[in-house]
Amino acid sequence: MPRIFSGIQPSGELHIGNYLGAVRNWVQLQHEVESFICVVDYHAITLPYAPEDLRRRTFEMGLSLMAAGIDPAKCTLFVQSRVPEHTELAWIFNTITPLGELERQTQFKDKASRQESVAAGLLNYPVLQAADILLYKADTVPVGEDQVQHLELSREIARRWNARFGDGFFPEPQPRLTPTRRIMGLDGQAKMSKSLGNTVGLLEKPDDMWAKLRPAVTDPARVRREDPGNPEICNIYHLHKAFSPPATVDEVATKCRTAGWGCIDCKKVLFENLNAELTPIRARAEALQADPRLVTDALDAGAAHAGTIAKGTMAEVRQRMGLR
Ligand code: AMP
Ligand code: TRP
């Protein structure tokens, strides 16, 4: 039976990028395979932050995940820092991870270039990610495309540890991508990301969503209403693929190529379909906000279950490595 593990930073907001790239996939997979979903607060502290903010955002991410359909009865949902074995295994993996591999990670280079002073933890971020996954011996990791390089490194770490201390002990975890593995921001410039400020939040009010969608970048060739476009290069078309039924997706492509619809017409249809999927999610979020114990209890239970497995793995790891 495969076991999946995935993580998400407590960025305070689920947006349609991480929803389509990862979370929607988790919601489906939890019914099929044993699933662990972790809010990774130890990862979040590799960049400057305020403690009270982090606490709030961690809770909000738990709430948003449950609203999006993660069911704590089906899947182990927990907060990383509640299971300190993550950091213990990360330290151990640090001792076998080649420095050069860490320096080559594009996410590290990206984030480091935007910092005045770079913490060692930012460099070692993917080592902690490998520890997250391997602590549960998970073999499948549903993520967006931006995590593929980190997972290559996780496999390298598993291989190196296995070669020294126990052949076949850790699986080599494989990414599991969705067709919507990379959602662009509405500015059409870069991937949708909280840090770039180009997101559409999953729990945003419909009016606010429309205010972002309306001016969103489309095929630049469509200057006037009657200019035909190429849907393949239009971000809105790709969002239709994620939210609209197949017949609508075909219609969008035709109406774009023939200028049958203007971009605003096309966005209105997308907005309707987006709302159809998000309305029940917003309603669940409101119910959870009214009764936050549902979230804290679920996170407590998740941490207890994850902790049991983590302790078992660490006992074996210490044994094989001559520790204690
Ligand atoms: P993050 O919110 O950055 O912690 O990412 C959580 C998950 O969502 C990871 O699996 C990412 O790969 C995925 N993800 C984040 N942003 C996007 C995006 N714009 N398109 C597709 N997947 C994404
Ligand atoms: N680095 C991932 C991100 O930014 C989050 C993450 C941490 C993760 N640990 C993980 C993803 C383990 C998958 C598996 O999105």
Side-chain angles (χ1 to χ4, degrees):
M1 170 103 157
R3 183 183 270 181
I4 70 161
F5 184 100
S6 200
I8 187 160
Q9 297 214 44
S11 54
E13 185 190 39
L14 265 185
H15 52 74
I16 61 177
N18 46 25
Y19 177 68
L20 295 175
V23 177
R24 189 157 75 168
N25 203 16
W26 304 345
V27 171
Q28 198 177 347
L29 288 166
Q30 70 184 342
H31 300 290
E32 297 163 18
V33 288
E34 191 184 3
S35 304
F36 290 77
I37 300 299
C38 186
V39 181
V40 293
D41 52 351
Y42 279 144
H43 279 98
I45 63 174
T46 55
L47 291 175
Y49 75 101
E52 267 323 304
D53 252 20
L54 179 63
R55 214 186 313 276
R56 180 182 48 78
R57 288 193 270 108
T58 301
F59 170 81
E60 279 170 9
M61 185 52 79
L63 185 148
S64 302
L65 288 169
M66 286 172 66
I70 296 292
D71 176 358
K74 291 263 181 318
C75 143
T76 303
L77 173 67
F78 70 107
V79 175
Q80 189 183 33
S81 64
R82 292 283 300 276
V83 184
E85 283 79 5
H86 286 248
T87 51
E88 184 180 0
L89 189 57
W91 173 255
I92 286 170
F93 285 165
N94 266 319
T95 65
I96 55 162
T97 304
L99 179 59
E101 297 284 325
L102 293 175
E103 288 166 337
R104 286 200 308 113
Q105 298 292 311
T106 50
Q107 289 222 336
F108 168 68
K109 289 192 278 188
D110 241 39
K111 290 180 187 169
S113 71
R114 284 184 262 129
Q115 297 302 308
E116 254 173 52
S117 131
V118 177
L122 192 65
L123 179 71
N124 294 324
Y125 177 113
V127 181
L128 178 58
Q129 181 161 348
D132 294 341
I133 300 163
L134 296 175
L135 199 47
Y136 303 94
K137 298 189 179 175
D139 47 23
T140 309
V141 185
V143 282
E145 192 174 70
D146 58 359
Q147 296 303 313
V148 167
Q149 193 187 25
H150 283 160
L151 289 181
E152 252 165 53
L153 184 57
S154 291
R155 289 197 293 280
E156 171 79 22
I157 290 173
R159 276 194 295 275
R160 281 177 182 250
W161 192 93
N162 286 348
R164 283 205 53 196
F165 303 111
D167 220 19
F169 183 77
F170 288 120
E172 291 183 27
Q174 303 294 333
R176 180 156 163 162
L177 301 171
T178 61
T180 45
R181 62 195 58 183
R182 182 178 155 87
I183 299 296
M184 299 296 280
L186 292 183
D187 51 8
Q189 296 298 306
K191 80 164 185 184
M192 186 176 286
S193 154
K194 173 87 176 169
S195 58
L196 301 176
N198 60 0
T199 58
V200 178
L202 217 58
L203 303 178
E204 259 180 79
K205 289 201 209 67
D207 287 354
D208 296 342
M209 250 181 209
W210 178 244
K212 289 183 177 177
L213 204 53
R214 196 185 163 86
V217 171
T218 57
D219 176 357
R222 298 206 68 183
V223 181
R224 285 162 307 167
R225 165 74 176 73
E226 57 280 12
D227 293 331
N230 174 6
E232 287 306 330
I233 62 168
C234 179
N235 199 17
I236 300 299
Y237 176 61
H238 292 290
L239 291 175
H240 270 293
K241 283 191 188 162
F243 289 107
S244 299
T248 309
V249 175
D250 290 345
E251 191 180 6
V252 167
T254 312
K255 294 268 168 66
C256 178
R257 288 203 177 90
T258 58
W261 279 350
C263 291
I264 291 290
D265 304 319
C266 179
K267 287 170 177 174
K268 279 186 186 149
V269 176
L270 173 63
F271 182 57
E272 260 172 46
N273 291 322
L274 188 66
N275 263 322
E277 181 154 343
L278 300 192
T279 301
I281 294 180
R282 281 188 213 110
R284 275 197 295 271
E286 274 172 32
L288 293 167
Q289 272 146 6
D291 194 358
R293 278 286 293 275
L294 292 172
V295 179
T296 48
D297 286 355
L299 294 175
D300 285 349
H305 180 235
T308 309
I309 296 171
K311 284 192 178 68
T313 306
M314 284 316 300
E316 274 194 80
V317 165
R318 288 187 211 110
Q319 167 68 23
R320 285 167 189 257
M321 294 183 73
L323 298 161
R324 282 182 241 183

Short mmCIF file of all heavy atoms in Angstrom, two decimals, residues 6-11 13-23 26 40 61 107 111 125 129 141-148 177-178 180-185 190-194 198, ligand 1:
data_model
loop_
_atom_site.label_atom_id
_atom_site.label_comp_id
_atom_site.label_asym_id
_atom_site.label_seq_id
_atom_site.Cartn_x
_atom_site.Cartn_y
_atom_site.Cartn_z
N SER A 6 2.70 14.95 2.16
CA SER A 6 2.98 16.24 1.55
C SER A 6 2.92 17.33 2.60
O SER A 6 2.36 17.14 3.69
CB SER A 6 2.05 16.54 0.39
OG SER A 6 2.64 17.54 -0.44
N GLY A 7 3.52 18.45 2.27
CA GLY A 7 3.60 19.56 3.22
C GLY A 7 3.20 20.86 2.56
O GLY A 7 3.26 21.01 1.34
N ILE A 8 2.79 21.78 3.39
CA ILE A 8 2.46 23.12 2.90
C ILE A 8 2.88 24.14 3.94
O ILE A 8 2.74 23.90 5.15
CB ILE A 8 0.95 23.22 2.56
CG1 ILE A 8 0.63 24.55 1.88
CG2 ILE A 8 0.07 23.02 3.81
CD1 ILE A 8 -0.68 24.52 1.10
N GLN A 9 3.42 25.25 3.47
CA GLN A 9 3.86 26.28 4.42
C GLN A 9 2.66 27.03 4.98
O GLN A 9 1.68 27.25 4.28
CB GLN A 9 4.76 27.26 3.69
CG GLN A 9 6.00 26.58 3.18
CD GLN A 9 7.19 27.50 3.21
OE1 GLN A 9 7.43 28.23 4.18
NE2 GLN A 9 7.95 27.46 2.14
N PRO A 10 2.76 27.43 6.24
CA PRO A 10 1.66 28.21 6.83
C PRO A 10 1.73 29.65 6.35
O PRO A 10 1.97 30.56 7.12
CB PRO A 10 1.93 28.10 8.34
CG PRO A 10 3.39 27.85 8.45
CD PRO A 10 3.82 27.12 7.21
N SER A 11 1.50 29.83 5.06
CA SER A 11 1.62 31.16 4.46
C SER A 11 0.39 32.00 4.77
O SER A 11 0.31 33.14 4.35
CB SER A 11 1.80 31.04 2.96
OG SER A 11 0.75 30.25 2.44
N GLU A 13 -2.51 31.60 3.63
CA GLU A 13 -3.50 31.64 2.57
C GLU A 13 -3.37 30.44 1.64
O GLU A 13 -2.30 30.15 1.12
CB GLU A 13 -3.29 32.91 1.73
CG GLU A 13 -4.35 33.10 0.69
CD GLU A 13 -4.01 34.21 -0.30
OE1 GLU A 13 -2.84 34.35 -0.70
OE2 GLU A 13 -4.95 34.91 -0.70
N LEU A 14 -4.49 29.74 1.46
CA LEU A 14 -4.54 28.80 0.36
C LEU A 14 -4.98 29.63 -0.84
O LEU A 14 -5.96 30.36 -0.77
CB LEU A 14 -5.60 27.74 0.62
CG LEU A 14 -5.18 26.42 1.25
CD1 LEU A 14 -6.37 25.48 1.30
CD2 LEU A 14 -4.04 25.79 0.49
N HIS A 15 -4.24 29.50 -1.94
CA HIS A 15 -4.65 30.22 -3.14
C HIS A 15 -4.90 29.20 -4.25
O HIS A 15 -4.62 28.01 -4.07
CB HIS A 15 -3.61 31.28 -3.52
CG HIS A 15 -2.20 30.77 -3.63
ND1 HIS A 15 -1.76 30.00 -4.67
CD2 HIS A 15 -1.14 30.90 -2.78
CE1 HIS A 15 -0.48 29.72 -4.51
NE2 HIS A 15 -0.08 30.23 -3.35
N ILE A 16 -5.43 29.67 -5.37
CA ILE A 16 -5.81 28.68 -6.37
C ILE A 16 -4.58 28.00 -6.98
O ILE A 16 -4.70 26.94 -7.57
CB ILE A 16 -6.77 29.24 -7.44
CG1 ILE A 16 -6.15 30.37 -8.22
CG2 ILE A 16 -8.10 29.71 -6.82
CD1 ILE A 16 -7.07 30.88 -9.32
N GLY A 17 -3.39 28.55 -6.79
CA GLY A 17 -2.16 27.88 -7.24
C GLY A 17 -1.86 26.65 -6.41
O GLY A 17 -1.77 25.53 -6.93
N ASN A 18 -1.73 26.82 -5.10
CA ASN A 18 -1.41 25.62 -4.30
C ASN A 18 -2.63 24.68 -4.18
O ASN A 18 -2.47 23.48 -4.01
CB ASN A 18 -0.75 25.93 -2.95
CG ASN A 18 -1.38 27.04 -2.16
OD1 ASN A 18 -2.58 27.31 -2.33
ND2 ASN A 18 -0.62 27.68 -1.29
N TYR A 19 -3.82 25.26 -4.34
CA TYR A 19 -5.01 24.39 -4.36
C TYR A 19 -4.97 23.46 -5.58
O TYR A 19 -5.09 22.23 -5.43
CB TYR A 19 -6.27 25.26 -4.37
CG TYR A 19 -7.57 24.48 -4.47
CD1 TYR A 19 -7.99 23.67 -3.43
CD2 TYR A 19 -8.35 24.55 -5.62
CE1 TYR A 19 -9.18 22.95 -3.52
CE2 TYR A 19 -9.53 23.84 -5.72
CZ TYR A 19 -9.94 23.04 -4.67
OH TYR A 19 -11.11 22.33 -4.77
N LEU A 20 -4.76 24.02 -6.76
CA LEU A 20 -4.79 23.19 -7.97
C LEU A 20 -3.53 22.33 -8.11
O LEU A 20 -3.59 21.20 -8.60
CB LEU A 20 -4.95 24.06 -9.22
CG LEU A 20 -6.27 24.82 -9.34
CD1 LEU A 20 -6.24 25.73 -10.56
CD2 LEU A 20 -7.45 23.87 -9.42
N GLY A 21 -2.40 22.89 -7.70
CA GLY A 21 -1.15 22.14 -7.85
C GLY A 21 -1.05 20.98 -6.87
O GLY A 21 -0.46 19.95 -7.17
N ALA A 22 -1.67 21.13 -5.70
CA ALA A 22 -1.43 20.12 -4.67
C ALA A 22 -2.69 19.75 -3.89
O ALA A 22 -3.09 18.58 -3.86
CB ALA A 22 -0.35 20.62 -3.72
N VAL A 23 -3.32 20.72 -3.26
CA VAL A 23 -4.33 20.40 -2.25
C VAL A 23 -5.52 19.62 -2.82
O VAL A 23 -5.99 18.66 -2.21
CB VAL A 23 -4.82 21.70 -1.54
CG1 VAL A 23 -5.91 21.39 -0.54
CG2 VAL A 23 -3.64 22.38 -0.85
N TRP A 26 -4.60 16.12 -2.93
CA TRP A 26 -4.58 15.47 -1.61
C TRP A 26 -5.98 15.05 -1.20
O TRP A 26 -6.17 13.97 -0.62
CB TRP A 26 -4.04 16.41 -0.52
CG TRP A 26 -2.68 16.98 -0.79
CD1 TRP A 26 -1.77 16.55 -1.73
CD2 TRP A 26 -2.08 18.10 -0.14
NE1 TRP A 26 -0.65 17.34 -1.68
CE2 TRP A 26 -0.81 18.29 -0.72
CE3 TRP A 26 -2.48 18.96 0.89
CZ2 TRP A 26 0.05 19.30 -0.31
CZ3 TRP A 26 -1.61 19.96 1.30
CH2 TRP A 26 -0.37 20.13 0.71
N VAL A 40 3.96 22.96 7.57
CA VAL A 40 5.39 22.92 7.88
C VAL A 40 5.88 24.25 8.49
O VAL A 40 6.51 25.07 7.84
CB VAL A 40 6.23 22.52 6.65
CG1 VAL A 40 5.94 21.07 6.27
CG2 VAL A 40 5.96 23.41 5.44
N MET A 61 -4.03 27.80 8.29
CA MET A 61 -3.77 26.84 7.22
C MET A 61 -4.45 25.51 7.53
O MET A 61 -5.03 24.88 6.65
CB MET A 61 -2.26 26.65 7.02
CG MET A 61 -1.89 25.76 5.85
SD MET A 61 -2.68 26.22 4.28
CE MET A 61 -1.68 27.60 3.75
N GLN A 107 15.20 27.00 -5.68
CA GLN A 107 14.40 27.74 -4.69
C GLN A 107 15.31 28.44 -3.68
O GLN A 107 15.01 29.54 -3.24
CB GLN A 107 13.43 26.79 -3.98
CG GLN A 107 12.32 26.34 -4.90
CD GLN A 107 10.95 26.33 -4.22
OE1 GLN A 107 10.84 26.23 -3.00
NE2 GLN A 107 9.92 26.43 -5.03
N LYS A 111 15.27 32.46 -3.16
CA LYS A 111 14.93 33.07 -1.88
C LYS A 111 16.14 33.82 -1.32
O LYS A 111 16.00 34.91 -0.77
CB LYS A 111 14.48 32.01 -0.87
CG LYS A 111 13.13 31.39 -1.19
CD LYS A 111 12.76 30.36 -0.13
CE LYS A 111 11.51 29.58 -0.49
NZ LYS A 111 11.32 28.43 0.40
N TYR A 125 16.90 23.85 4.14
CA TYR A 125 15.45 23.65 4.01
C TYR A 125 15.08 22.32 3.34
O TYR A 125 14.26 21.56 3.86
CB TYR A 125 14.92 24.86 3.22
CG TYR A 125 13.46 24.90 2.85
CD1 TYR A 125 12.61 25.86 3.42
CD2 TYR A 125 12.91 24.03 1.91
CE1 TYR A 125 11.26 25.95 3.05
CE2 TYR A 125 11.58 24.10 1.55
CZ TYR A 125 10.76 25.06 2.12
OH TYR A 125 9.45 25.13 1.76
N GLN A 129 12.89 18.86 4.51
CA GLN A 129 11.81 18.32 3.68
C GLN A 129 12.00 16.82 3.46
O GLN A 129 11.04 16.03 3.54
CB GLN A 129 11.76 19.07 2.34
CG GLN A 129 10.64 18.59 1.42
CD GLN A 129 10.29 19.60 0.34
OE1 GLN A 129 10.72 20.76 0.38
NE2 GLN A 129 9.52 19.17 -0.64
N VAL A 141 4.81 11.60 -3.21
CA VAL A 141 4.70 12.96 -2.68
C VAL A 141 3.94 13.85 -3.68
O VAL A 141 4.50 14.29 -4.69
CB VAL A 141 6.10 13.55 -2.39
CG1 VAL A 141 5.99 14.91 -1.72
CG2 VAL A 141 6.89 12.59 -1.50
N PRO A 142 2.66 14.06 -3.43
CA PRO A 142 1.88 14.91 -4.34
C PRO A 142 2.19 16.39 -4.12
O PRO A 142 1.93 16.93 -3.05
CB PRO A 142 0.42 14.59 -3.98
CG PRO A 142 0.44 13.97 -2.64
CD PRO A 142 1.83 13.51 -2.33
N VAL A 143 2.78 17.01 -5.14
CA VAL A 143 3.24 18.41 -5.04
C VAL A 143 3.07 19.10 -6.39
O VAL A 143 2.80 18.44 -7.40
CB VAL A 143 4.74 18.49 -4.67
CG1 VAL A 143 4.97 18.24 -3.19
CG2 VAL A 143 5.55 17.54 -5.53
N GLY A 144 3.29 20.39 -6.41
CA GLY A 144 3.37 21.14 -7.66
C GLY A 144 4.77 21.01 -8.24
O GLY A 144 5.70 20.51 -7.59
N GLU A 145 4.91 21.50 -9.47
CA GLU A 145 6.16 21.31 -10.21
C GLU A 145 7.38 21.93 -9.51
O GLU A 145 8.49 21.42 -9.61
CB GLU A 145 5.99 21.95 -11.59
CG GLU A 145 7.04 21.61 -12.57
CD GLU A 145 6.68 22.17 -13.93
OE1 GLU A 145 6.71 23.40 -14.10
OE2 GLU A 145 6.32 21.37 -14.80
N ASP A 146 7.13 23.01 -8.76
CA ASP A 146 8.26 23.70 -8.13
C ASP A 146 8.98 22.85 -7.08
O ASP A 146 10.06 23.22 -6.63
CB ASP A 146 7.80 25.04 -7.52
CG ASP A 146 6.69 24.87 -6.48
OD1 ASP A 146 6.26 23.72 -6.25
OD2 ASP A 146 6.26 25.88 -5.91
N GLN A 147 8.40 21.72 -6.71
CA GLN A 147 9.02 20.88 -5.67
C GLN A 147 9.79 19.69 -6.24
O GLN A 147 10.37 18.89 -5.48
CB GLN A 147 7.96 20.36 -4.70
CG GLN A 147 7.27 21.46 -3.91
CD GLN A 147 8.26 22.30 -3.12
OE1 GLN A 147 9.14 21.77 -2.45
NE2 GLN A 147 8.14 23.61 -3.24
N VAL A 148 9.80 19.56 -7.56
CA VAL A 148 10.42 18.37 -8.16
C VAL A 148 11.91 18.29 -7.84
O VAL A 148 12.44 17.22 -7.52
CB VAL A 148 10.15 18.36 -9.69
CG1 VAL A 148 11.02 17.35 -10.40
CG2 VAL A 148 8.67 18.07 -9.94
N LEU A 177 2.51 14.55 -9.74
CA LEU A 177 2.06 15.86 -10.23
C LEU A 177 0.64 15.80 -10.76
O LEU A 177 0.14 14.73 -11.09
CB LEU A 177 3.01 16.34 -11.33
CG LEU A 177 4.48 16.48 -10.91
CD1 LEU A 177 5.37 16.73 -12.12
CD2 LEU A 177 4.64 17.60 -9.90
N THR A 178 0.02 16.95 -10.83
CA THR A 178 -1.32 17.05 -11.40
C THR A 178 -1.20 17.67 -12.80
O THR A 178 -0.15 18.23 -13.14
CB THR A 178 -2.21 17.99 -10.57
OG1 THR A 178 -1.61 19.29 -10.58
CG2 THR A 178 -2.34 17.52 -9.14
N THR A 180 -2.42 20.36 -13.46
CA THR A 180 -2.30 21.80 -13.15
C THR A 180 -1.11 22.00 -12.20
O THR A 180 -1.26 22.55 -11.13
CB THR A 180 -3.59 22.30 -12.49
OG1 THR A 180 -3.99 21.34 -11.49
CG2 THR A 180 -4.70 22.44 -13.48
N ARG A 181 0.03 21.52 -12.64
CA ARG A 181 1.21 21.47 -11.77
C ARG A 181 1.88 22.83 -11.58
O ARG A 181 2.75 22.99 -10.74
CB ARG A 181 2.22 20.49 -12.35
CG ARG A 181 2.71 20.91 -13.72
CD ARG A 181 3.42 19.77 -14.41
NE ARG A 181 2.53 18.63 -14.53
CZ ARG A 181 2.88 17.46 -15.03
NH1 ARG A 181 4.12 17.26 -15.43
NH2 ARG A 181 2.02 16.49 -15.14
N ARG A 182 1.52 23.78 -12.44
CA ARG A 182 2.15 25.11 -12.34
C ARG A 182 1.13 26.16 -12.77
O ARG A 182 0.89 26.35 -13.96
CB ARG A 182 3.38 25.17 -13.23
CG ARG A 182 4.13 26.49 -13.17
CD ARG A 182 5.37 26.40 -14.06
NE ARG A 182 5.77 27.72 -14.50
CZ ARG A 182 6.57 28.52 -13.81
NH1 ARG A 182 7.07 28.13 -12.67
NH2 ARG A 182 6.89 29.70 -14.27
N ILE A 183 0.53 26.82 -11.81
CA ILE A 183 -0.47 27.85 -12.09
C ILE A 183 0.22 29.21 -12.06
O ILE A 183 0.93 29.53 -11.11
CB ILE A 183 -1.61 27.79 -11.03
CG1 ILE A 183 -2.31 26.43 -11.07
CG2 ILE A 183 -2.60 28.93 -11.24
CD1 ILE A 183 -3.05 26.12 -12.36
N MET A 184 0.00 29.97 -13.12
CA MET A 184 0.62 31.30 -13.19
C MET A 184 -0.22 32.31 -12.40
O MET A 184 -1.43 32.15 -12.25
CB MET A 184 0.71 31.75 -14.64
CG MET A 184 1.56 30.87 -15.51
SD MET A 184 3.29 30.88 -14.99
CE MET A 184 3.83 32.43 -15.73
N GLY A 185 0.42 33.37 -11.96
CA GLY A 185 -0.30 34.47 -11.32
C GLY A 185 -1.15 35.20 -12.35
O GLY A 185 -0.95 35.05 -13.56
N ALA A 190 4.67 35.27 -13.53
CA ALA A 190 5.40 34.26 -12.76
C ALA A 190 4.38 33.34 -12.11
O ALA A 190 3.18 33.61 -12.15
CB ALA A 190 6.25 34.94 -11.69
N LYS A 191 4.86 32.25 -11.51
CA LYS A 191 3.92 31.33 -10.87
C LYS A 191 3.17 32.05 -9.75
O LYS A 191 3.69 32.98 -9.14
CB LYS A 191 4.65 30.08 -10.35
CG LYS A 191 5.35 30.29 -9.03
CD LYS A 191 5.72 28.97 -8.34
CE LYS A 191 6.29 29.35 -6.98
NZ LYS A 191 6.79 28.31 -6.15
N MET A 192 1.94 31.61 -9.54
CA MET A 192 1.14 32.23 -8.48
C MET A 192 1.78 31.91 -7.13
O MET A 192 2.05 30.75 -6.82
CB MET A 192 -0.30 31.71 -8.53
CG MET A 192 -1.21 32.41 -7.55
SD MET A 192 -2.93 31.91 -7.67
CE MET A 192 -3.44 32.73 -9.17
N SER A 193 2.03 32.94 -6.36
CA SER A 193 2.74 32.72 -5.10
C SER A 193 2.46 33.87 -4.14
O SER A 193 2.46 35.04 -4.54
CB SER A 193 4.24 32.59 -5.40
OG SER A 193 5.00 32.96 -4.28
N LYS A 194 2.23 33.49 -2.89
CA LYS A 194 1.93 34.48 -1.86
C LYS A 194 3.01 35.57 -1.82
O LYS A 194 2.71 36.75 -1.72
CB LYS A 194 1.86 33.75 -0.51
CG LYS A 194 1.73 34.64 0.69
CD LYS A 194 0.30 34.98 1.00
CE LYS A 194 0.23 35.80 2.29
NZ LYS A 194 -1.09 36.35 2.50
N ASN A 198 0.55 37.87 -6.20
CA ASN A 198 -0.27 37.75 -7.42
C ASN A 198 -1.30 36.61 -7.29
O ASN A 198 -1.65 35.97 -8.27
CB ASN A 198 0.65 37.50 -8.62
CG ASN A 198 1.44 36.21 -8.46
OD1 ASN A 198 1.30 35.50 -7.46
ND2 ASN A 198 2.26 35.89 -9.43
P1 AMP B 1 3.37 26.35 -0.71
O1 AMP B 1 2.07 27.04 -0.59
O2 AMP B 1 4.41 27.14 -1.46
O3 AMP B 1 3.86 25.75 0.57
O4 AMP B 1 3.11 25.10 -1.67
C1 AMP B 1 2.25 24.04 -1.32
C2 AMP B 1 2.07 23.12 -2.50
O5 AMP B 1 1.41 23.80 -3.57
C3 AMP B 1 3.37 22.59 -3.08
O6 AMP B 1 3.16 21.25 -3.48
C4 AMP B 1 3.60 23.46 -4.29
O7 AMP B 1 4.31 22.78 -5.30
C5 AMP B 1 2.18 23.74 -4.74
N1 AMP B 1 2.08 25.05 -5.40
C6 AMP B 1 2.34 26.27 -4.85
N2 AMP B 1 2.16 27.27 -5.75
C7 AMP B 1 1.77 26.66 -6.91
C8 AMP B 1 1.42 27.14 -8.22
N3 AMP B 1 1.44 28.44 -8.52
N4 AMP B 1 1.05 26.22 -9.14
C9 AMP B 1 1.03 24.90 -8.85
N5 AMP B 1 1.35 24.39 -7.65
C10 AMP B 1 1.71 25.24 -6.68
#
